C-alpha cells in the first residue's frame, strides 16, 4: 500500500468512526444528526472507492456524484441545527438534483446513449470542489443570520452548538479552497501528480482530526442529552432533590442578578458554593441541571452579557469594560466575548450602539 493509499485509508477510518459514534446516540439525537452522520459516512465511502479503483475504472466515475451530495448534506446539517430552519421536501430534492443529474450522465455514457462524456472527469472534480464550497458558504451565511437574530434577544447566549457550526464551516471552507487550488495546479501541470495528491489527502485528514479535537474539547455539541443523563446518574445520590434544585436555582439567580458576584475576578467555585449554601459537588450539579453548563462557562456568560451592556450604554474603553465585568485579563475577555457573540467587543459596540442609541433617546425610561 502506497503512502497516499495509507492516508486515504486513515481518512476513511476516521470518517466511519465518526459515523459509528453518531449511530451510538439515542434515537432523538441520532435523528437530529442524521445529515452529519450521512456526511461523514459518505466521505469515508468516497475514500474507500478511491482506494479500490483506478482512474480508468467505471467505479471511479461514481466518486463525483457521491461527492456532489456532500455539499447538500452539510448545508442540511447546519440548517437542522438552527431554529426554524427546516428544509422542505422540495428544497431537499433541489439540493441533490446536481448529484442525480451527474449520475444520470454516467449511466447514459456507459449505456452508449451518449457517445462521449459531456464533461471530463478532471474538470468534474474541479467543479465538484467549487460546488461544495458554494454550499458551505451558503450554510455559513445562513448560520451567521441565525447568530445575529439570537444576539438581538436581550441576554441571549451564543449556544455552544452554534460555535461548533461556525468552526465546522471555517474548516470546511479552508479544505475546499485548498482542494480547488490543487485541482487548478494539477490541470496546469504546476504540481507533480504523485506528490500533490498526497498533500490534498493529508489536508483532509488534518480537517478530520481538527473536527475530532473540537468534539473532544466541547462534547456537548453532540452529546448534550447524553451528558445530562450522565450528570443525573452521577449526582443521583447527592441528595439534591428537584425541589431543592429549584430553590437553590432561584437563590443562584438572585445572587447573580442582584449582587452580581461574577464581577469579582477572584470568584471561585468554592466561594460561590458557600454563598449559595451548597458544597462544590452540589453546586456543580445545580449548574448542570439549572442552566445546562459548567461553572467556568456560566460565570463567563454572566460577565460577557454585563460587558455587552457596558459597551452599549457607556463610553468606557474595551479594556476598562473587561475589568469592570470581572475578567482578570484583556485576552480572557476577548476570547470569551468572541466565543459568545462571534464578534470582537469593538465590532459588537459599533453594530449594537446605532439602533440602541436611537431607541434610548426616544424612550421615557427603563421599565419598572
Amino acid at each position: 500500500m502506497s503512502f497516499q493509499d495509507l492516508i486515504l485509508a486513515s481518512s476513511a477510518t476516521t470518517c466511519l468512526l465518526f459515523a459509528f459514534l453518531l449511530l451510538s446516540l439515542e434515537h432523538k439525537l441520532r435523528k437530529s444528526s442524521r445529515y452529519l452522520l450521512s456526511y461523514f459516512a459518505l466521505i469515508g465511502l468516497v475514500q474507500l472507492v478511491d482506494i479500490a479503483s483506478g482512474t480508468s475504472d467505471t467505479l471511479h466515475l461514481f466518486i463525483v456524484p457521491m461527492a456532489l451530495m456532500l455539499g447538500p448534506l452539510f448545508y442540511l446539517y447546519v440548517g437542522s441545527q438552527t431554529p426554524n430552519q427546516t428544509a422542505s421536501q422540495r428544497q431537499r430534492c433541489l439540493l441533490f438534483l446536481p448529484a442525480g443529474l451527474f449520475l444520470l450522465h454516467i449511466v447514459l455514457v456507459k449505456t452508449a446513449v451518449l457517445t462521449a462524456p459531456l464533461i471530463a472527469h478532471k474538470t468534474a472534480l474541479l467543479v465538484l470542489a467549487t460546488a461544495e464550497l458554494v454550499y458551505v458558504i451558503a450554510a455559513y451565511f445562513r448560520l451567521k443570520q441565525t447568530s445575529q437574530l439570537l444576539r438581538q434577544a436581550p441576554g441571549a447566549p451564543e449556544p455552544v452548538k452554534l460555535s461548533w457550526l461556525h468552526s465546522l464551516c471555517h474548516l470546511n471552507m479552508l479544505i475546499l479552497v485548498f482542494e480547488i487550488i490543487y485541482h487548478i495546479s494539477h490541470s496546469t501541470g504546476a504540481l507533480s501528480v504523485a506528490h500533490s495528491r498526497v498533500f490534498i489527502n493529508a489536508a483532509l485528514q488534518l480537517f478530520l482530526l481538527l473536527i475530532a479535537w473540537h468534539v473532544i474539547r466541547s462534547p456537548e455539541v453532540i452529546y448534550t442529552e447524553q451528558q445530562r443523563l450522565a450528570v443525573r446518574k452521577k449526582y443521583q445520590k447527592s441528595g439534591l432533590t428537584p425541589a431543592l434544585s429549584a430553590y437553590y436555582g432561584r437563590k443562584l439567580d438572585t445572587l447573580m442578578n442582584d449582587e452580581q458576584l461574577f464581577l469579582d475576578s477572584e470568584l471561585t467555585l468554592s466561594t460561590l458554593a458557600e454563598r449559595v449554601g451548597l458544597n462544590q459537588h452540589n453546586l456543580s450539579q445545580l449548574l448542570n441541571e439549572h442552566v445546562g453548563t459548567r461553572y467556568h462557562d456560566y460565570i463567563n456568560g454572566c460577565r460577557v452579557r454585563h460587558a455587552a451592556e457596558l459597551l452599549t450604554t457607556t463610553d468606557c474603553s474595551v479594556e476598562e469594560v473587561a475589568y469592570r465585568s470581572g475578567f482578570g485579563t484583556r485576552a480572557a475577555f476577548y476570547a470569551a466575548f468572541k466565543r459568545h457573540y462571534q464578534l470582537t467587543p469593538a465590532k459588537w459596540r459599533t453594530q449594537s450602539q446605532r439602533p440602541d442609541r436611537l431607541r434610548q433617546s426616544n424612550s421615557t425610561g427603563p421599565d419598572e
Side-chain angles (χ1 to χ4, degrees):
M1 180 179 286
S2 66
F3 182 62
Q4 176 181 326
D5 288 343
L6 185 63
I7 295 177
L8 283 170
S10 176
S11 300
T13 302
T14 305
C15 288
L16 294 176
L17 282 174
F18 272 122
F20 282 120
L21 181 150
L22 293 168
L23 280 172
S24 70
L25 300 176
E26 62 179 19
H27 175 72
K28 184 178 179 181
L29 280 178
R30 187 169 63 248
K31 184 178 180 181
S32 68
S33 301
R34 63 188 182 280
Y35 294 121
L36 185 64
L37 191 158
S38 302
Y39 178 74
F40 282 124
L42 195 57
I43 292 178
L45 183 60
V46 168
Q47 301 301 310
L48 291 176
V49 171
D50 199 1
I51 296 173
S53 61
T55 54
S56 59
D57 296 339
T58 301
L59 182 61
H60 198 80
L61 297 176
F62 288 91
I63 287 179
V64 174
M66 285 193 299
L68 272 173
M69 292 189 286
L70 292 174
L73 285 172
F74 184 86
Y75 180 83
L76 289 171
Y77 169 65
V78 172
S80 68
Q81 302 302 305
T82 53
N84 304 318
Q85 296 285 344
T86 305
S88 65
Q89 184 68 32
R90 182 181 178 182
Q91 289 174 325
R92 289 195 291 269
C93 290
L94 289 174
L95 288 171
F96 288 102
L97 182 61
L101 290 175
F102 203 92
L103 181 61
L104 178 62
H105 171 258
I106 293 175
V107 173
L108 293 176
V109 170
K110 288 300 175 182
T111 55
V113 175
L114 291 176
T115 56
L118 298 177
I119 181 172
H121 185 65
K122 290 181 180 179
T123 306
L125 292 175
L126 175 59
V127 172
L128 162 65
T130 306
E132 188 176 350
L133 180 61
V134 170
Y135 280 111
V136 175
I137 292 174
Y140 174 75
F141 280 106
R142 190 177 185 180
L143 181 62
K144 190 174 181 181
Q145 184 181 26
T146 300
S147 298
Q148 289 173 345
L149 290 173
L150 288 175
R151 284 198 298 270
Q152 291 174 4
E158 178 78 11
V160 174
K161 183 155 284 189
L162 286 188
S163 176
W164 144 260
L165 292 174
H166 274 101
S167 299
L168 194 58
C169 285
H170 292 151
L171 287 172
N172 218 337
M173 284 189 280
L174 185 63
I175 185 66
L176 287 170
V177 168
F178 190 85
E179 187 172 352
I180 290 170
I181 293 173
Y182 157 73
H183 286 303
I184 293 174
S185 301
H186 176 42
S187 62
T188 58
L191 290 176
S192 167
V193 177
H195 295 92
S196 58
R197 188 61 186 168
V198 172
F199 292 150
I200 190 65
N201 290 329
L204 173 62
Q205 180 62 17
L206 179 61
F207 165 70
L208 296 170
L209 291 175
L210 287 172
I211 292 176
W213 173 80
H214 199 292
V215 172
I216 292 171
R217 183 169 174 262
S218 301
E220 58 268 35
V221 299
I222 292 178
Y223 282 110
T224 304
E225 294 297 325
Q226 287 196 344
Q227 279 187 321
R228 290 177 181 174
L229 292 174
V231 165
R232 289 173 187 170
K233 184 177 179 180
K234 177 181 177 181
Y235 294 110
Q236 62 184 356
K237 298 180 181 179
S238 67
L240 195 57
T241 64
L244 286 174
S245 179
Y247 167 76
Y248 285 112
R250 290 192 297 270
K251 188 173 182 180
L252 177 64
D253 290 340
T254 300
L255 289 171
M256 290 294 110
N257 296 329
D258 296 347
E259 298 188 28
Q260 297 184 318
L261 297 182
F262 57 87
L263 296 181
D264 180 8
S265 61
E266 301 297 324
L267 183 67
T268 63
L269 177 64
S270 60
T271 304
L272 181 58
E274 183 177 354
R275 292 297 308 273
V276 175
L278 295 170
N279 56 41
Q280 296 181 46
H281 186 77
N282 284 339
L283 179 58
S284 295
Q285 177 192 1
L286 180 68
L287 289 172
N288 277 281
E289 293 184 348
H290 185 62
V291 293
T293 189
R294 297 168 294 181
Y295 167 78
H296 180 75
D297 294 331
Y298 172 68
I299 295 299
N300 273 352
C302 293
R303 288 169 175 167
V304 164
R305 287 190 290 273
H306 182 75
E309 184 179 355
L310 292 178
L311 288 169
T312 305
T313 59
T314 72
D315 293 321
C316 297
S317 66
V318 172
E319 187 171 3
E320 185 178 358
V321 167
Y323 292 119
R324 287 180 60 180
S325 301
F327 287 96
T329 64
R330 178 189 177 96
F333 170 59
Y334 265 78
F337 195 97
K338 192 165 185 180
R339 181 177 182 183
H340 197 85
Y341 288 108
Q342 299 298 318
L343 290 171
T344 62
K347 287 184 179 179
W348 193 93
R349 169 179 267 172
T350 301
Q351 290 190 11
S352 63
Q353 277 188 329
R354 293 171 185 171
D356 289 345
R357 287 276 174 91
L358 290 174
R359 285 195 295 268
Q360 288 173 8
S361 64
N362 296 327
S363 175
T364 57
D367 295 334
E368 294 295 328

